[in-house]
Amino acid sequence: MKSIIYTVVLLFTFCGLVKSQLTVHKLLTAGYVYQNQSFGEVGGKLLFLSNDDVVFRTGVSALMGSSNQKFAIMPKVSADILLNFQKNVDFYHAHYFVLGAEATNKYIAPKAGFSLFGILDLTGGYGFSLDKDGINGKELKGLNINFTINIPLVLLN
């Protein structure tokens, strides 16, 4: 019982010391994914930032494509960190360096790449197969390439 009380007190103390709050933006995503097979991607992401130097994104989407003449859909989760420490320039943060990972029920892929304004992403990595049967008999491993467009919902209102 004492450990629970100490944990609650520590949590409230930590929350009181935190000075910066994260701003959250919702994004719609559409794109193309190559993972030993071509897929279209549709989904959504949440973008978390306290300043424009380091931006965190997490997302959920569906990968849709044809494998061995059969249509297939896979769920995908992703997490990215966008980095840009460039200072004293006229046009702030036009590009970011992206580090991240994505996972489906068939593969997991760490990735790296570039993002323009956090809207247009081009990333690449290597996919490691989680399921030897793959999708419709085709194992998903090897080169992973992503091209994604992230549309902020505030632009649609």
Side-chain angles (χ1 to χ4, degrees):
M1 184 65 177
K2 286 183 180 182
S3 65
I4 293 173
I5 293 171
Y6 290 137
T7 304
V8 170
V9 169
L10 183 63
L11 179 66
F12 282 119
T13 304
F14 177 73
C15 290
L17 294 176
V18 175
K19 294 180 181 177
S20 66
Q21 294 184 3
L22 290 176
T23 304
V24 178
H25 297 285
K26 298 172 188 151
L27 309 167
L28 290 177
T29 62
Y32 169 79
V33 176
Y34 176 81
Q35 178 59 55
N36 200 24
Q37 185 68 42
S38 294
F39 294 99
E41 176 182 9
V42 176
K45 290 183 181 179
L46 292 175
L47 181 129
F48 303 93
L49 65 113
S50 60
N51 62 32
D52 287 344
D53 293 342
V54 179
V55 180
F56 302 97
R57 281 191 312 207
T58 183
V60 177
S61 58
L63 298 178
M64 298 169 279
S66 176
S67 177
N68 293 332
Q69 288 78 35
K70 292 182 184 177
F71 184 73
I73 298 176
M74 281 189 303
K76 177 178 120 173
V77 295
S78 61
D80 301 320
I81 299 174
L82 285 74
L83 304 167
N84 184 343
F85 298 110
Q86 188 175 8
K87 302 287 185 194
N88 299 322
V89 293
D90 293 329
F91 199 63
Y92 290 110
H93 305 292
H95 61 279
Y96 291 91
F97 181 67
V98 179
L99 294 174
E102 61 184 46
T104 69
N105 55 344
K106 303 294 182 183
Y107 71 89
I108 186 167
K111 59 186 180 176
F114 294 97
S115 181
L116 185 62
F117 300 110
I119 295 176
L120 295 173
D121 297 346
L122 180 60
T123 59
Y126 188 86
F128 298 96
S129 179
L130 297 175
D131 183 4
K132 297 296 180 196
D133 294 333
I135 190 161
N136 294 335
K138 188 168 189 178
E139 186 177 9
L140 300 177
K141 67 177 181 178
L143 180 66
N144 178 283
I145 298 172
N146 292 283
F147 175 73
T148 309
I149 298 172
N150 303 297
I151 304 166
L153 285 181
V154 294
L155 293 179
L156 300 177
N157 289 336

